[in-house]
Amino acid sequence: MKINFLTSKITLIVILLFICTKSFCQDIRLANRNEIKPGINQTQRYFPELKNKKIAVIANQASTFINGTHLVDSLFNLGYQLNRIFCPEHGFRGKADAGAKVENGKDSKTGIPIISLYGKNKKPQQNDLKDLDLIIFDLQDVGVRFYTYISSLKYVMEACAEYNIKLIILDRPNPNGFYVDGPILKKDCQSFVGTLPIPIVYGLTIGELSLMIEGENWRENHYTDLNLKVINNSNYAHNLIYQLPIKPSPNLPNWQSVYLYPSLCLFEGTIISVGRGTPKPFQIFGHPKLSKLKNLNEYAKKISFVPKSTPGASLHPKLEDKLCYGYDLVNYANHYKSLPGKLNLEYLIKTYKYLKRDKNFFNKFIEKLVGDKKVVEELKRGKSSTQIKKLWQSELDKFKIKRQKYLMYP
């Protein structure tokens, strides 16, 4: 028994070393968008299944073919029986602010009924699914646990399993798919901004994640079979930096915001503004009391800004109309090739330290974002980034091993 235990332990260490070495040795490079074809463009693999079927689509403004044609418009014009559109947070046309109520309605272009999956009912109800044979899921994820499109994915998978509806997922590249980092979500921190036991940055496309949800029995009704089909991307790999052609939501307008989002979104659980209501959401952060904050690093540029209400993006943002002092991190994001992919806690830790661990600095939302109350406790105690990351490293290493089984791309 001792020999077997020792052998197993050595094997585990070797696997962990291999995974860590592989992740750090990959040649991270910018993807050529013209070479990558998202799942939506692999029409020969799913169009034949749509004939004579009653269909619903889960989509938003980014659900387009490479040529810019929207999935809903294409299916409608080709004469398929498109009965319903389900839309996630931010709405079908992607104009609603984060957390804003999204109403049911009709698509002005096609007249197809739209049902919101963000609001009172985050999961499709039985009446919403009546007479449907098939649902197509096509949302551009950003690879971050608290980005709610993956919560919608889980609920849709559960609904399809309950009512025996086939689910086709049109996969898309993950712009943060080149690294894995952060604490694993604990059950007592679950919410719509975190429904799955995964790290903050999980390194899977939405198609790969759906396979992991199935394989790890993470659906509440996992005992019920799900007819699932994933249409993969072509010419995509996890070491490619895929810069999105269309912004996935109003406050992630460009590559820099998508890259900085995993780290800066933690400020949403504090008194600090992350630039909502400015031209640079999730690229800057600040507060009226940060006027004399010292340099953070060579990439951070000192700035001042005033958050303003902006319809369709940020109505009444945090610190609205107040002069804030802080930092612009666009230059940091532009150095993604030379900087290792990781969750950066330094911004949060140094800002908290500068404000002398203000008792009002954190709010209750921080636990839902971080996903682990022990990590939050250590943040509040003023522990260093190195000390805090040790708290989650063991579980993260185990997740990386588990993740390998569901990878569709190198």
Side-chain angles (χ1 to χ4, degrees):
M1 291 295 292
K2 288 183 179 179
I3 294 175
N4 289 338
F5 174 75
L6 181 61
T7 303
S8 299
K9 194 170 183 180
I10 292 172
T11 302
L12 179 61
I13 292 172
V14 170
I15 292 172
L16 287 174
L17 286 172
F18 171 75
I19 292 172
C20 292
T21 303
K22 185 177 180 182
S23 64
F24 282 108
C25 291
Q26 280 187 316
D27 177 25
I28 304 299
R29 57 191 177 88
L30 185 64
N32 183 342
R33 285 205 304 254
N34 295 325
E35 294 178 354
I36 295 175
K37 289 186 178 180
I40 188 175
N41 281 78
Q42 318 294 326
T43 55
Q44 74 283 1
R45 295 189 54 203
Y46 66 98
F47 267 19
E49 299 189 41
L50 309 185
K51 189 176 180 181
N52 299 323
K53 295 290 195 304
K54 295 175 181 177
I55 306 164
V57 169
I58 299 169
N60 64 7
Q61 82 290 340
S63 304
T64 63
F65 292 85
I66 291 175
N67 66 4
T69 302
H70 198 280
L71 174 64
V72 167
D73 296 337
S74 178
L75 297 179
F76 180 80
N77 291 335
L78 289 171
Y80 289 111
Q81 297 181 56
L82 187 52
N83 289 11
R84 266 162 237 126
I85 299 168
F86 292 100
C87 67
E89 182 178 8
H90 308 297
F92 178 51
R93 296 299 175 186
K95 295 180 179 179
D97 190 13
K101 186 177 180 181
V102 178
E103 302 284 358
N104 294 343
K106 280 191 176 183
D107 178 35
S108 59
K109 194 169 183 179
T110 63
I112 299 170
I114 297 175
I115 297 173
S116 171
L117 296 182
Y118 190 78
K120 184 179 180 180
N121 295 318
K122 294 180 172 63
K123 179 178 176 179
Q125 302 300 299
Q126 183 175 8
N127 192 53
D128 302 329
L129 300 170
K130 63 182 180 182
D131 301 327
L132 289 180
D133 301 309
L134 184 150
I135 291 179
I136 301 174
F137 188 104
D138 182 28
L139 294 177
Q140 177 61 66
D141 185 36
V142 298
V144 183
R145 187 184 65 221
F146 33 70
Y147 200 66
T148 62
Y149 295 171
I150 63 172
S151 295
S152 296
L153 170 68
K154 176 178 177 288
Y155 291 143
V156 167
M157 291 174 69
E158 291 173 353
C160 286
E162 287 173 19
Y163 298 105
N164 195 28
I165 298 172
K166 182 168 184 176
L167 177 61
I168 296 179
I169 295 177
L170 305 182
D171 207 13
R172 289 182 177 272
N174 177 356
N176 282 305
F178 56 97
Y179 74 105
V180 180
D181 202 2
I184 306 297
L185 179 74
K186 301 296 187 293
K187 282 188 176 181
D188 59 357
C189 292
Q190 285 183 335
S191 69
F192 194 61
V193 295
T195 59
L196 299 168
I198 57 178
I200 290 177
V201 186
Y202 45 86
L204 297 164
T205 66
I206 207 159
E208 291 172 326
L209 182 60
S210 71
L211 298 179
M212 193 169 193
I213 292 172
E214 283 299 283
E216 299 301 319
N217 295 327
W218 287 342
R219 279 192 290 115
E220 288 189 6
N221 55 356
H222 59 82
Y223 49 83
T224 305
D225 289 338
L226 171 63
N227 188 353
L228 173 67
K229 183 173 184 177
V230 178
I231 309 298
N232 63 292
N233 307 295
S234 65
N235 302 321
Y236 170 72
H238 280 287
N239 67 325
L240 296 177
I241 304 293
Y242 184 82
Q243 298 187 0
L244 303 180
I246 300 174
K247 62 182 181 182
S249 52
N251 283 292
L252 293 180
N254 51 33
W255 155 248
Q256 290 87 350
S257 61
V258 170
Y259 179 72
L260 293 166
Y261 177 70
S263 301
L264 293 193
C265 192
L266 296 177
F267 277 125
E268 298 274 64
T270 74
I271 60 175
I272 304 298
S273 166
V274 288
R276 291 183 185 271
T278 78
K280 290 187 175 182
F282 291 104
Q283 299 156 75
I284 62 177
F285 71 89
H287 188 273
K289 294 182 179 180
L290 294 179
S291 59
K292 297 181 180 179
L293 187 60
K294 296 179 181 179
N295 288 334
L296 288 176
N297 57 50
E298 61 183 300
Y299 304 106
K301 177 184 176 183
K302 288 186 179 182
I303 59 165
S304 62
F305 60 90
V306 178
K308 297 284 186 181
S309 278
T310 52
S314 294
L315 286 176
H316 306 298
K318 186 186 296 183
L319 302 175
E320 182 179 9
D321 296 328
K322 294 183 179 180
L323 178 61
C324 298
Y325 302 92
Y327 293 92
D328 184 331
L329 299 175
V330 169
N331 195 34
Y332 182 91
N334 289 336
H335 282 78
Y336 62 87
K337 287 185 178 180
S338 59
L339 298 170
K342 65 178 182 179
L343 190 67
N344 195 322
L345 299 178
E346 292 299 319
Y347 311 126
L348 184 67
I349 291 171
K350 289 183 178 179
T351 304
Y352 181 45
K353 183 178 180 181
Y354 176 78
L355 293 178
K356 299 178 180 179
R357 299 183 192 172
D358 186 330
K359 65 179 181 179
N360 297 316
F361 184 84
F362 293 103
N363 58 48
K364 292 183 179 180
F365 193 44
I366 191 66
E367 292 182 351
K368 294 180 180 179
L369 293 170
V370 172
D372 187 327
K373 291 182 179 180
K374 289 183 179 179
V375 173
V376 173
E377 288 173 5
E378 295 305 290
L379 282 169
K380 290 180 177 179
R381 289 191 180 116
K383 294 296 180 70
S384 70
S385 176
T386 301
Q387 290 172 315
I388 291 172
K389 288 199 170 192
K390 285 181 180 178
L391 293 175
W392 71 61
Q393 194 58 54
S394 176
E395 285 189 327
L396 185 66
D397 289 338
K398 291 176 184 177
F399 174 83
K400 288 179 180 179
I401 294 174
K402 194 181 294 183
R403 166 183 172 271
Q404 295 290 314
K405 295 186 293 182
Y406 305 103
L407 293 179
M408 299 168 60
Y409 314 99

